[in-house]
Every structure is written in C-alpha cells, then in structure tokens.
Amino acid sequence: MSPISPMTTSATARTHAVKAAGEDSLRFAVLGPVRAWRGTHELDLGSPQQRVVLAALLLRPGRPVTVAELVDAVWGDEPPPAAVSVLRTYASRLRKVLEPGRDAGEPPRVLVSAAGGYLARVPEGSVDLDVFEQRVAEAKKLRALGAMSAAADLLRAALDGWAGTPLAGLPGPLAEAERSRLAEERLATLETRLDTEVRLGRHSEVIAELAALTGEHPLRERLCRLLMLALYRSGRQAEALAVYHRTRGTLVAELGINPSASLQELHGRILTADPTLDPTPPETEAEPWMPLAAGYMVRPAQLPADLATFTGRQAELRQIQALSPGDGTPPATVLISAIGGMAGVGKTTLAVHLAHRLAHRYPDGQLYINLRGFDPTGSAMPSGEAIRVFLDALGVPSQRIPAHLDVQAALYRSLLANRRMLLLLDNARDTEQVRHLLPASPGCLAIVTSRNQLTGLIVNEGARPLTLNPLTWAEAHEFLVRRVGAARLTAEPEATDEIITRCARLPLALAIIAARATARPGFPLEAIAGELRDSRGSLDAFAGGEPTTDVRAVFSSSYEALSAPVARLFHLLDLHPGPDISAPAAAALAGLPLRETRGLLAELTRAHLLTEHSPGRYTLHDLLRAYAAERIATEETPQERDRATERLLCWYLHTAGAAYSHLAPHRRRIPLRPPPPGCHPLTFTSHDEALTWCEAERPNLVAAVHQAAAPPRPRLAWQLAAALWGFFYLRAHLHDWLDTAQSALDAARDTHDRVGEAWSLNDLAVALTLTHRFDEAIDHLKQAMTLCREFGDTPGRSQAMGNLGNAYLQLGRLDKAAEYIRRSLVLDRAHGSAWGEGLALAKLGDIYQRLGRFDKAIDHLERSLTILRAGGNRWGEGVTLDILGTVHHRLHRHDDAIQHYHQALGALRDIGNRWNEGETLDHLGGTLLAAGDPEAARTRWRQALAVFQEFDHPRTEEIRGRLSRLDERGPDSSAQPQGEAETSA
C-alpha cells in the first residue's frame, strides 16, 4: 500500500474535483489516518474526537448528519454532559482549518449547517474513498464487458489508494463499525482483483499473495478457491489439493461445516485433472473489445500532410529511425521519442515527416493530436479530451466512452494492445498531459513534441530525448533555396546571410520571410533584410535566450507587408475560441462578405501566417496567435473587440439555430434576437447538411458556449446550448452535451436569467436521463417546472412535465409517468402544441401497452398519429407507428404489426433517426419469426444488429443471442414460442 500524500493525488480525483482544482483545492483521506490537504499543504485536523466529526461528515458527503448522530459517533452511549457544546466547538475549529480565509460574516462553504446538524460540501473525487469506489464500480463494468486487463489495472489503482487501516487511531463506535465495513470492502475488492489476474493467466504471479491471504483469512473460501486454481494451473496439483484439505479441516474444526459445493466441485475437478481447468491464452482477453473497432473497419490514418519542401535534419531523422526496427519485427517494448526545443524550431514538421517515413512499419494505423500545450488562450487539451478523441478514432461510439479518466485510459490501452500503431502527440505541455496517452503494450511508437524537456517521460517511461536546435547554416541556406530559388540567393549572398542571421536559423521565421520574398519576386533580398534590420522588437514569452531568436521581429516584418484588411483579419483571429475556424465564421468575425474573406484567408495562408489544415478550415500556430493577441490589443479598441466577438458568437448561435430547425423541426423555437450587422449565418437545405455542419464545428460550438458564458453574453451561452439539443440528441455526444448544458445553466444562474435557467434545466435533464442519472434529471425538471410556472411559460412547463414523465417511464414508474404525461397533455392542448400533444398521447399509449390495456393503447396511439401526421412530424410518427406495431404483435395480429413496423421504418429513415430504426428492425424481426418466417426474421435482426453496433446500443448482445439461437434451431425455427417474440417487442 502506498500512503496518500500531497504528491500522490489520483488522476480521477483531479478530474472530478473541478471547482477544487488548483493550489487551494481540498483533498481528504479516510482510507488510513484521517488527513486533509489544501493543495500540497497538510492541515492540522485537531484531536482524534474532532477528526471523528470530520470523518462522519466525509463518509456521507453532501448529506446532513444530525447533532445526535455525531454525538453517538464520537462518544457512543456515554456522552459527556456538555457533548452538544463540545461538538459545536469541534465544528467551529474544523471550519477555521478548512476555510482559513473566510470572512466573519460569510457563510461556510465546506462544513455547512443543515437539518439540525452539519454536512460536508466537497467536490466529487476529493475524498479518497470516493475515488476508490468509483474505480471499483468502473472496473466491474469493464469485467462485465470482458476487458479484464483494463479492469485489473483499475482495481490495482483503487487498492493502491489505501494508506493503511481506515480511520486509523479514531475512537468511538462509528470508527469501529466503519473500519470493519471498509476492511471487508477492501478485501472483497482484493479478491476481485486476484480473480481477474488469474483469469488473465497470471496465476503464477499471484500465488505468493494468495498464500499469505489464505493464512490471514482461512475461512474465506473464495481465496482458497483462487489459490487452488492458481497452483493447479502452475503445475502444482498436489499443493492445490493440500490447500483444499487444510481449508476443509479448518471449517470442520472451527464451524462444524464442510466446504461449499463449488469448492468441493473444484476439488473433484483438480483430482481428475479436468482439462477445462487449463488456462486459456491470455492474449485472447482483448477480443471482447474488438467489435468496437472491427465493426467500423477502423484503421486510423490521421497524420497531417508531409511538407513537400522539407529539408535538413538528417542526423535527427537517423537517430529516431534507429529506434524502430526496419526488418518488420515488432519491438519488444513501447518506443517513445520525445522531441523538444523552442517554439518555431520545427518540432512538428520534423515529427510529421518522420511519421510518414515510418508509417509503413505500423500497419494498424497512425493517430495524431495537437495537445495545444502552449496555446496562448490557456486552453491546453485535457488528457481526458485527448483520449476521447482517440477512442472515437478507434471506433468506440461516444455512448460507450466511460466517464472517468482512469477508465478511459484503461479502455484506450486495451484497444491498443497487440496492435502496431504509430502515435504522434504534438505540442504537449508536460509529462502529465501525455502519460495517459501512451500505449502500454509493445509494438507501438509514440512520438511526442513539446517546448518543455519532458524529464518525467524520460525518467519514468524510458523515452528517448531529442532536442532540436536551430538549423545549421547549410540547412538554413538550403531551406531558403527550396522556397525562394537558388538564383536569387546566389545574386545577393550578403543579404541572404543577413536574413539567415536575423531569422536565427529558426524554421518558422525562415518560412515566413521566404513566403514574403516569393510573393514579391521583384523586391531585392537586401530590402527584406533591411526591413528585418530596422524593425527589431521582442517576443518576450517566446524568446530563445539569444538576441537573434527574436520571432516578433520576423512576424512584424511579414505583418507590416500585409494589406490593411488582411492584417485586420489576422489579429481578429485571436478572438476565436476554438481549435480551428471556417471561412464563414471568419467572415462573421471580421464583419465582411464571405467572398472577400476567402481572398484574405488565401493571402494569409500564402504568407504562412495561417494554415489551411483541411479545405476551408484554418488554424493559427500558437506563436502566431500570441502575436495576433499583441496586435489586436494595440490596434483595435475594446468596443470593436467586443463587437467582433459578438458577431462571431451570434454567427455560431444563429447557424446552430438553423441546423436545429432541421434536426428538431417540431420542437419549440428558441427566442433569438436578430444577428448584428455584418453577421451572416448559414442556412441549410437538408437534415444531412445541417448534421454535417454540426459535426465539423462541434469543438468550436462547445468552445463558443464557454466563451459566451462569461459576462457580458451569458444569454448567448444558454441559447447556443439549447440550439445544440437536436444535434447532441441524434449523435449522442453526451460528454459535450452535459458540459455545455451545465455551463449554460451556471451562466444563467449567475446573472439571474430565469428564462435561461429554465431552458437549461430542461435541456440538461434530457441529457441526464439518457445517461441514466434519473434522480438528477427529475430534480432538474421539477425546478424547471417551478420556474416556468412563476414567470408564466406554459410551453416550457409542459415540456418539462413531458420530460419528467419520460424520466419516470424509463425508470419503470408507470404511475408517476402517466401522472405527469397527462398533466403535460392538458397544457399542450391549452396552448395549442401539436408536437407536445402528439408525443404525450404516444407516451400514454406506450404506458397502456406495457400494462396490457391494448384497446386504450390503440386509441391513444391512433389519435397521436392523426395529430403528428397533420403537422408533418415524421420523428414522432415513426416512434408512434413502432409502438402500434408492438401492440398488434402482442395481440397476435402479425400482419397488422408488420405493416405498422414497415411504415415506422419509412418515417424514421426519412429523418435519419438510426437509433429508433434499429429498435423497429428488432421488433419487426420478432414478429416475422412469430409469423413463421425465420429467414425474414434473420434478415431484419442482422440489419438491427448493424445499427445497434453503430451506436453501441445496450441490446446489441441480445440481438446476437437471438441470431445465434435462430441458427441453432435451423428450418424448424418457426416453432419458437411466442414469449420470445414478445420480449423482442
């Protein structure tokens, strides 16, 4: 066990303690002595009795503990006469320790008075027990899915968080009871971890640990079973049998009972050398995950384009290429090359060129990501976001991506296991940002670039460092020859030498000046050298330590050569919050027509002040963004900067609103103000066009919500988040949905925007329902209903009621679901919402069919269809037809059911609702089988399986099982009992 100290904070705790991040974050330990830290400083928590009070609150975070309960926790049945007074003194002292900077009149934020007692208000993940339980829960999910190696890693990490006996040294009945409970929880987790290791074929490695544990706990049969199995699989049959006889003797002597039936059975199988006990090859462990990738035929090839004019760096290329075997044999270990050096020295260019050279040695693909480690806006990419990008590239549906960083990393390593892949991790800030992105299995090469020397990566991960210096003189000269031409350089050798000197042989600076010289073929090189000589400055944040490495002077010489409109667009680009920008967005930022903006962007690209990384999409290098920030601060007034930001955010809002009209055409409209002058949002002609735009702009849309959430534009934040509802719903980007909806809700609340708060509560609740966080969703929806009632928003109140009914419906609370859906139906009819009325009737029909009241179900569903068809609501129509098909199926009216399912498929396919299409295909297969057509059923179930695999539907394995059973039955499959078909509906 490793003690929890200020230097061993878990990654999961850091991930979840969002508001506790930074130097002032609070962390607590109860899995050992009760301790607390603020940042890296350990706090003095006082006497053992005072620590009992804190422990009692930490064991029930966010829930009140009464004074009576605390008295009992500290003193049990014999409290002192002044117990309550002493208890309040303990609470007061703890508040001073936990919040030393709190003013006298300011209410406590951590140890809060509540319900006749106190509660601890601490961020999720700030208590080591919380981290432990989260890891164990996620590990159980991974085990259930067959990802044993990832589960073992996570269980090991969970157990490593323990620092000894829980609540060590604390008196009182609470501590005693909790010590017993937590010790049992730890031992059960340890058993699960050892079971996982044995399943992975690591039986020999765990024998010593199991032998010690069975000695400590001779009555725990699971430990005995694992030790017997590990010994037998290690060729030690006699010892395995001896363990059984020893355990049996202990049980008989101490308890008067024989071993359990399962242990006796294992004993018999070992006696007979049952071949089914032999270990399976451990390399097959990764197979359960393979459908995630194999179903998509994913072989990522994400490397950016190689530079056609690349030159030099031959020694560096040979050094890194020597790491990777050229004979086709996989390396015995993970290969990591850490390329470091100053900004603009050409780390990325070299890494991309090298990766293209080596790509053929890594047949399973190449992954690339810009970690934005030195982004001037401070928006370095978190490790969790980077892993989610890679998991997406490897074919993992967004709904399947786990919530916590540790589990994401474990899944990521599992998917890379036994693959030969090349990873390019560009522009890393530090070792911690990269660590979770490194593969764990041999056969992969990771190339990491950073401005920092990644010492931790070199020391702990065995990375091979390579520090790039500026080009040699010969390389710099050849660099200019490739771009400007040998004739001009030969004609002006002195000017050429001065340009190389002024650019400090820095590739980025040389590229900018070469572009300028190429754009002005009639200018002598001496004129360019003279401008460099006369316009010296300093780019303090990016100086290389020598006067000649002055990037600002290089940028200024290129910037001053731009026309005024191009220069203005360049520095305005600093206001854009996302990783890249499209031409229409740039036009809104500048307040210019799109055609004119495209010309300005082309000029910036030719001057190498902007990179067109894909057609019509542009990125700024971080040094250039820093320079743009400096220029805009001096060349634009604060009012103009605000107007440009307003145009940009309104462009995203109104374009997202146009997409919303296609993706959720019958949902109530978001109240938008007209866009400002110079902002020309896009329009769309089809559902697919709107969806494609949303996917391309997703990172920028998320960043725009966060940018708008700060004053003075919080209204734009909740409106933009609301406009993304249809997109996030269809594509199930649940991480982004929860993130933006919560940011919008916080912004609305901070500015007391009650309308925005109600919208955000409602939309956030839908995302929470999809993630099965039903209690939170129900709470949010009740708050939304209250707000809407207060300011008279009947449509909003009705929508919240309908969503609340749906949450209860998903929970199986049909009585509560019916209550709220009926109430929403009344309101929908009162304010004339055909969308709401039709959906409410369909939901009530679903409730009735679940209850077996088929006449009422059909009545409600047919009335729903009439309303939905009258309004052209194909989404609602498709779902309603599917439920009608289910009703007829359960009534054994198979022809009617099949007809309704076909009609449902037509409606759902019209709008691209693939999720519900898969459900309907599944239901149709069940009815065809019940109708005596197993071949048609097989066809439909195969179609459903393809859709379910695309979205990682929770019923994917159920469909596979049906197909398997259908294949086993053969031509007599039509004799299948009706019950199974009912299950499919």
Side-chain angles (χ1 to χ4, degrees):
M1 298 180 193
S2 57
I4 296 177
S5 70
M7 300 305 292
T8 58
T9 308
S10 74
T12 301
R14 283 195 302 275
T15 301
H16 293 292
V18 177
K19 294 188 178 179
E23 295 182 358
D24 293 332
S25 62
L26 282 171
R27 293 182 294 108
F28 302 92
V30 296
L31 301 179
V34 174
R35 304 168 70 186
W37 297 267
R38 180 176 297 284
T40 59
H41 174 66
E42 185 168 1
L43 306 178
D44 182 0
L45 298 177
S47 68
Q49 290 80 6
Q50 188 167 298
R51 291 171 186 255
V52 172
V53 174
L54 178 61
L57 297 172
L58 292 176
L59 290 169
R60 291 172 56 176
R63 292 177 292 169
V65 182
T66 66
V67 169
E69 289 173 317
L70 291 172
V71 169
D72 183 66
V74 179
W75 293 286
D77 295 332
E78 298 180 358
V84 174
S85 177
V86 174
L87 187 69
R88 297 196 186 282
T89 300
Y90 289 157
S92 176
R93 290 173 181 171
L94 286 170
R95 283 170 169 167
K96 291 178 181 178
V97 172
L98 298 176
E99 299 182 72
R102 182 170 58 88
D103 294 335
E106 184 181 355
R109 296 185 303 275
V110 179
L111 204 158
V112 181
S113 298
Y118 302 93
L119 65 83
R121 188 172 290 158
V122 296
E124 182 184 1
S126 61
V127 182
D128 60 353
L129 176 59
D130 180 28
V131 175
F132 170 77
E133 291 176 341
Q134 289 172 354
R135 286 174 168 171
V136 171
E138 294 289 358
K140 288 179 179 177
K141 295 178 184 177
L142 289 172
R143 274 172 55 94
L145 293 167
M148 292 294 177
S149 181
D153 290 344
L154 204 55
L155 289 167
R156 198 175 298 111
L159 292 164
D160 284 345
W162 285 62
T165 303
L167 309 178
L170 296 193
L174 172 77
E176 183 177 350
E178 287 296 324
R179 268 193 291 272
S180 298
R181 179 183 72 83
L182 293 171
E184 173 60 28
E185 193 171 338
R186 179 185 181 278
L187 187 55
T189 301
L190 184 56
E191 288 175 335
T192 303
R193 196 267 296 171
L194 290 166
D195 177 79
T196 307
E197 302 278 11
V198 171
R199 290 172 185 262
L200 287 168
R202 301 169 185 168
H203 32 270
S204 298
E205 302 170 23
V206 299
I207 288 175
E209 188 176 1
L210 281 166
L213 286 168
T214 53
E216 295 175 24
H217 307 280
L219 301 179
R220 291 186 78 96
E221 292 194 24
R222 189 181 185 192
L223 289 173
C224 172
R225 177 183 177 84
L226 289 171
L227 179 55
M228 290 171 62
L229 189 58
L231 286 167
Y232 177 76
R233 288 183 173 179
S234 300
R236 298 159 67 177
Q237 182 185 25
E239 293 175 74
L241 295 172
V243 170
Y244 173 81
H245 287 296
R246 185 168 61 247
T247 301
R248 181 182 181 279
T250 302
L251 290 170
V252 171
E254 296 191 18
L255 303 178
I257 62 172
N258 283 312
S260 66
S262 63
L263 196 60
Q264 293 182 45
E265 179 194 13
L266 178 61
H267 172 249
R269 293 170 69 191
I270 291 175
L271 271 175
T272 59
D274 187 343
T276 62
L277 290 178
D278 294 339
T280 56
E283 62 268 19
T284 63
E285 181 272 329
E287 288 181 3
W289 287 107
M290 296 309 293
L292 291 174
Y296 288 81
M297 302 298 288
V298 173
R299 182 188 175 276
Q302 296 185 326
L303 295 178
D306 196 7
L307 188 64
T309 55
F310 182 89
T311 186
R313 305 294 193 194
Q314 294 307 307
E316 292 90 342
L317 286 169
R318 285 193 296 271
Q319 180 179 338
I320 304 177
Q321 284 181 278
L323 294 177
S324 180
D327 59 1
T329 60
T333 60
V334 178
L335 303 177
I336 306 170
S337 176
I339 303 176
M342 63 174 290
V345 79
K347 301 180 293 296
T348 299
T349 301
L350 172 66
V352 170
H353 182 74
L354 173 70
H356 278 282
R357 278 194 175 191
L358 298 177
H360 68 283
R361 301 184 188 178
Y362 297 90
D364 293 321
Q366 309 91 43
L367 293 171
Y368 169 84
I369 197 161
N370 177 8
L371 294 169
R372 306 196 304 268
F374 293 88
D375 194 296
T377 64
S379 60
M381 181 179 289
S383 298
E385 180 181 343
I387 288 180
R388 290 196 293 273
V389 171
F390 278 170
L391 290 175
D392 181 70
L394 291 168
V396 181
S398 60
Q399 309 96 311
R400 190 77 172 263
I401 296 175
H404 304 312
L405 177 60
D406 282 356
V407 194
Q408 293 170 354
L411 173 56
Y412 168 70
R413 290 192 298 270
S414 296
L415 290 173
L416 291 188
N418 304 313
R419 291 190 179 191
R420 295 192 63 187
M421 297 192 72
L422 187 151
L423 288 73
L424 177 45
L425 311 177
D426 191 24
N427 197 12
R429 185 169 189 83
D430 51 34
T431 300
E432 190 60 34
Q433 189 185 22
V434 169
R435 195 183 307 278
H436 288 291
L437 305 176
L438 299 175
S441 302
C444 295
L445 169 64
I447 303 173
V448 186
T449 72
S450 178
R451 291 182 202 164
N452 278 339
Q453 184 180 15
L454 301 178
T455 306
L457 208 62
I458 298 166
V459 173
N460 299 319
E461 308 294 341
R464 302 292 183 88
L466 174 64
T467 300
L468 286 190
N469 296 311
L471 298 171
T472 66
W473 194 274
E475 288 174 333
H477 191 276
E478 181 61 21
F479 189 104
L480 291 176
V481 168
R482 290 285 188 97
R483 287 160 175 78
V484 180
R488 291 180 71 183
L489 270 61
T490 302
E492 297 185 70
E494 293 182 0
T496 299
D497 290 348
E498 184 172 0
I499 288 173
I500 293 174
T501 300
R502 296 290 180 185
C503 290
R505 308 188 314 279
L506 198 65
L508 179 59
L510 288 166
I512 294 170
I513 298 307
R516 182 163 179 260
T518 303
R520 298 185 176 184
F523 275 41
L525 294 181
E526 170 57 33
I528 296 175
E531 291 179 4
L532 286 172
R533 190 184 315 125
D534 296 335
S535 60
R536 290 186 52 79
S538 65
L539 194 61
D540 298 336
F542 301 100
E546 300 177 17
T548 53
T549 56
D550 194 340
V551 177
R552 182 182 287 115
V554 177
F555 289 167
S556 295
S557 65
S558 184
Y559 180 84
E560 297 298 339
L562 298 173
S563 63
V566 176
R568 176 175 175 270
L569 176 59
F570 172 76
H571 62 240
L572 285 175
L573 290 173
D574 172 64
L575 300 175
H576 187 267
D580 69 351
I581 190 170
S582 66
L589 181 65
L592 297 172
L594 178 58
R595 183 174 181 179
E596 181 180 349
T597 304
R598 290 189 191 278
L600 304 182
L601 290 168
E603 189 172 340
L604 284 172
T605 303
R606 286 193 295 270
H608 290 278
L609 290 170
L610 197 63
T611 300
E612 188 175 12
H613 70 93
S614 63
R617 305 197 69 85
Y618 303 86
T619 59
L620 267 179
H621 185 278
D622 47 12
L623 284 180
L624 291 167
R625 183 182 283 272
Y627 184 73
E630 294 181 357
R631 299 305 301 220
I632 196 172
T634 59
E635 298 185 23
E636 299 287 351
T637 65
Q639 292 77 15
E640 179 50 37
R641 294 199 294 271
D642 285 344
R643 284 192 289 269
T645 303
E646 182 88 6
R647 286 193 300 270
L648 177 69
L649 294 176
C650 284
W651 182 85
Y652 278 121
L653 171 60
H654 283 269
T655 305
Y660 175 86
S661 297
H662 286 273
L663 303 181
H666 300 284
R667 202 167 184 257
R668 67 170 178 153
R669 300 299 91 193
I670 302 161
L672 301 182
R673 297 169 181 168
C679 173
H680 304 288
L682 300 179
T683 58
F684 304 102
T685 59
S686 69
H687 174 279
D688 290 345
E689 188 181 4
L691 199 59
T692 299
W693 178 84
C694 288
E695 283 288 8
E697 292 288 353
R698 178 161 63 102
N700 295 321
L701 290 165
V702 172
V705 171
H706 292 303
Q707 184 181 34
R713 287 174 282 270
R715 179 182 178 85
L716 295 181
W718 74 256
Q719 289 178 330
L720 179 54
L724 297 175
W725 184 92
F727 167 59
F728 284 150
Y729 200 116
L730 282 175
R731 285 300 187 222
H733 292 303
L734 300 180
H735 290 289
D736 289 342
W737 192 352
L738 290 167
D739 182 32
T740 53
Q742 186 63 58
S743 181
L745 177 59
D746 292 342
R749 282 175 167 168
D750 288 344
T751 54
H752 308 291
D753 184 340
R754 296 162 70 232
V755 173
E757 182 179 357
W759 271 84
S760 301
L761 283 165
N762 206 341
D763 289 354
L764 179 56
V766 177
L768 290 169
T769 300
L770 290 175
T771 55
H772 292 187
R773 293 161 62 179
F774 297 116
D775 289 343
E776 294 173 77
I778 289 168
D779 178 66
H780 281 53
L781 290 165
K782 288 181 178 178
Q783 292 181 53
M785 287 166 55
T786 300
L787 284 170
C788 290
R789 184 171 55 247
E790 288 176 358
F791 56 78
D793 181 6
T794 301
R797 184 176 168 215
S798 171
Q799 190 174 77
M801 275 186 188
N803 288 335
L804 182 56
N806 185 59
Y808 280 121
L809 182 60
Q810 302 309 314
L811 268 174
R813 296 281 305 278
L814 301 185
D815 54 340
K816 300 292 288 184
E819 174 190 345
Y820 283 103
I821 292 169
R822 286 193 183 102
R823 290 171 61 185
S824 72
L825 177 60
V826 172
L827 291 178
D828 287 328
R829 285 171 170 166
H831 67 80
S833 172
W835 158 276
E837 182 180 358
L839 290 183
L841 287 169
K843 290 174 187 174
L844 287 172
D846 194 7
I847 292 171
Y848 282 124
Q849 76 86 12
R850 294 186 190 208
L851 293 171
R853 300 174 64 181
F854 299 123
D855 288 344
K856 291 190 72 68
I858 291 173
D859 175 63
H860 281 75
L861 291 166
E862 288 182 344
R863 283 192 286 154
S864 170
L865 272 182
T866 301
I867 294 169
L868 293 169
R869 283 171 171 166
N873 186 342
R874 296 288 277 167
W875 190 337
E877 181 184 352
V879 173
T880 305
L881 285 165
D882 176 80
I883 302 171
L884 262 174
T886 299
V887 174
H888 287 291
H889 171 86
R890 296 187 66 190
L891 290 170
H892 305 287
R893 301 171 183 168
H894 297 139
D895 290 342
D896 290 338
I898 291 169
Q899 180 182 359
H900 282 98
Y901 286 141
H902 279 297
Q903 292 175 2
L905 287 173
L908 296 170
R909 286 167 174 167
D910 280 351
I911 60 165
N913 189 340
R914 294 279 285 163
W915 182 283
N916 288 113
E917 179 188 345
E919 293 277 0
T920 301
L921 286 166
D922 173 28
H923 300 164
L924 178 56
T927 299
L928 289 167
L929 185 61
D933 194 346
E935 288 307 313
R938 180 182 284 107
T939 299
R940 293 306 187 180
W941 276 338
R942 284 175 176 166
Q943 293 171 350
L945 181 61
V947 176
F948 282 7
Q949 287 175 325
E950 178 182 343
F951 289 99
D952 193 37
H953 196 287
R955 295 179 55 229
T956 301
E957 291 306 316
E958 181 184 334
I959 299 299
R960 282 202 184 97
R962 288 207 187 128
L963 285 167
S964 177
R965 290 192 296 275
L966 197 61
D967 291 337
E968 291 170 2
R969 292 189 183 108
D972 196 29
S973 297
S974 59
Q976 173 227 352
Q978 177 63 25
E980 182 169 337
E982 287 184 12
T983 302
S984 75

